[in-house]
Amino acid sequence: MYIYVYLFGYILVISYFESWLKGRSALLLGIVMTVFILFVGLRGTLGADTQNYINSWNHTPTLMSLNFSIDYYLCYNEPGFFFVSMLLKTIYNNVDFYFLIISLLTSVALFKSIREYAFFPLLSLLFYCARFLLLRDINQIRAAMAIAIVVYAIKYMEKADFKRYLLYTFLAISIHTSAIITLPLFFIKNLVLSKKAIVYIIIVAFVISLILSPFISSYVRELAYRYTFAESYTSGRYVGELGLGNIMIYYQICILLAYTYFERELNQFKYYYIFRNLYLFSTILMILLSDFWVLSSRLATIYATLEIFIIPLIFQALTSKYRMGALHWLFVCIIACSIFYLNLNR
């Protein structure tokens, strides 16, 4: 596990020099991403879900041996990921090769997103490693790939390119079913919200969750049963008793309110309002589905990924406003190191 401490430390050190190498930022990011891919892809059996994917790989047929009448005992049922797995096994039947190429495909989408949205690419990658690497790329590899595709597709929201947005969204759904919640969000760019409106929406979400919690829980369980979707996350040990006591709800609210507070300083960023609306959507999901702490986390994490761009922007606005520009890197790194430490010890 501590090999990822070295990866995180490597990116942390390199990110310090990012502002000095603006002209070569793409090359530098590419080199760092290559190291990232190797660390993730060659992890062996590390990761709680890794053995499940290894077992599924062992049961995955090649393209030539595929038989639709056989149950292949996979830990997933998404056709897109099944096809990718079959294709890779047809090319080379080796589990390290499998994880390495999955990591490569995910990282290409992540690289493109960072290049498109990040003012500070290496800081964004650093924050990704702190917040999401251990839980996604090492464990929930389907979710990691699907989310990377969904985040990249945000650029087509901004361009109002509905066809390409649908193409990427359906691709993500074929990798992980949870991406289906992103389908109706194409027009979220057109949602104009004031700072007060965002606060009111959060308050209303809390009121709805408190008053209608039994109804929401019953309805979610019924949907899960009827459509055989996320049934394991709506009962048993995945439900838990956190409710509105889930600290991640308040963590996201703090980030959302800080990002909203600096609207004047950040609204020149062309994705500012799209990111804010999508992150608000993520936060509302966390609140309304708080009785299902795993399900709410799995769904909210899709657009919680935008934190890797949002948090560096918040501290850029903060340090610029109070003329503390030299501390921007330090502030972001303190947050990233704290989150990485907490995830490492979970």
Side-chain angles (χ1 to χ4, degrees), residues 318-335:
L318 175 68
T319 54
S320 297
K321 184 173 182 178
Y322 296 104
R323 299 181 181 179
M324 300 184 297
L327 295 177
H328 170 253
W329 177 85
L330 180 62
F331 286 159
V332 176
C333 289
I334 289 173
I335 298 296

Side-chain angles (χ1 to χ4, degrees), residues 276-331:
R276 192 171 76 177
N277 290 345
L278 291 174
Y279 198 76
L280 173 63
F281 173 75
S282 171
T283 307
I284 291 171
L285 276 179
M286 287 280 285
I287 297 170
L288 295 182
L289 298 177
S290 58
D291 283 345
F292 306 98
W293 66 275
V294 172
L295 178 62
S296 64
S297 297
R298 289 290 180 94
L299 294 178
T301 193
I302 296 175
Y303 288 123
T305 308
L306 298 179
E307 289 171 18
I308 71 174
F309 312 113
I310 289 174
I311 289 178
L313 284 173
I314 290 172
F315 283 106
Q316 171 67 10
L318 175 68
T319 54
S320 297
K321 184 173 182 178
Y322 296 104
R323 299 181 181 179
M324 300 184 297
L327 295 177
H328 170 253
W329 177 85
L330 180 62
F331 286 159

